[in-house]
Amino acid sequence: MSASPALPSVSSVAPPTQADLLDFVRRTAADSELIDSLPLDPEGRTWVRLEGPGGSEAWLIGWPPGTGTGWHDHAESVGAFTIAAGELKEHSLAARLPADGWKTLELSEDVDRERRLPAGKGRSFGQHHVHEVLNESTEVHAISVHAYYPPLPQIRRYSRTGQILRLEHVERPADWQ
C-alpha cells in the first residue's frame, strides 16, 4: 500500500481581532520608554505611526489639554485604544449608521454613550463605530495608543448639533500620513 502524497502546508495567518488589537495597545501603552519618547506639542496633537500586529495600523498619539478629534468613524476597520498617560473621554453612538448614501441623520434620543478612560484603561470597537475622543484636562497631556485593522481606508468626519449628525467630509490615508 502506498502512502498518499503529503499536501503542501499552507500558512495562513488570521487577521487580528478586536481582542488582539486591544492586547497590542495595552502592551504598547505599558512601554514607558516608547511613551516618554513621544514629542508633545502644547497646542496640537502629535502622533507617531507604529507597526501593529498582523498588518494593522497603529498610532501613538499625544493630546494637549483641551484637544479632541471631533465626531468621526473608521469606516470598515475594527480598532482599539488604550490610555498610556492622563485621561481621555469618549462620546460614542450606540447605533449603526448607514455606510453610504446619506449626508444628514436624525439620531434617536437614546444613542449617546459616554466613557472616561484613565491611564491603563482602554477599549475595542467594531466597524462603523462613531465617536469623538477628548482630553478635557486643562493642565495635563494625555497619551494613547491606537490600532486598526484593516489599515484605515478612510475616516468620515461629522458635525453634530443636538440629535442631528451631518457627514462633513471623508479623509483618505494620504490626508494624515
Side-chain angles (χ1 to χ4, degrees), residues 96-153:
R96 182 163 174 115
L97 304 182
D100 292 306
W102 66 276
K103 289 293 255 181
T104 303
L105 287 176
E106 185 170 354
L107 303 169
S108 64
E109 293 289 330
D110 61 347
V111 299
D112 289 295
R113 301 294 181 265
E114 181 179 296
R115 166 179 291 138
R116 287 199 173 280
L117 298 160
K121 296 294 181 186
R123 71 177 312 259
S124 63
F125 52 86
Q127 296 176 328
H128 307 288
H129 177 70
V130 178
H131 68 167
E132 70 173 344
V133 180
L134 309 160
N135 178 3
E136 292 187 324
S137 172
T138 58
E139 300 174 3
V140 178
H141 262 80
I143 299 174
S144 57
V145 180
H146 302 246
Y148 309 97
Y149 189 85
L152 296 172

Side-chain angles (χ1 to χ4, degrees), residues 5-87:
L7 297 174
S9 93
V10 176
S11 174
S12 66
V13 176
T17 64
Q18 286 176 236
D20 296 331
L21 296 176
L22 186 56
D23 179 61
F24 168 80
V25 297
R26 283 181 173 151
R27 284 185 288 107
T28 304
D31 181 343
S32 58
E33 187 175 325
L34 175 66
I35 300 310
D36 292 343
S37 74
L38 180 66
L40 299 177
D41 183 317
E43 296 180 18
R45 286 190 303 148
T46 55
W47 55 86
V48 173
R49 188 164 184 164
L50 306 172
E51 187 161 328
S56 64
E57 179 174 346
W59 297 89
L60 177 62
I61 301 176
W63 306 73
T67 59
T69 61
W71 287 95
H72 67 282
D73 72 17
H74 306 99
E76 289 77 35
S77 297
V78 298
F81 65 101
T82 292
I83 313 316
E87 179 178 275

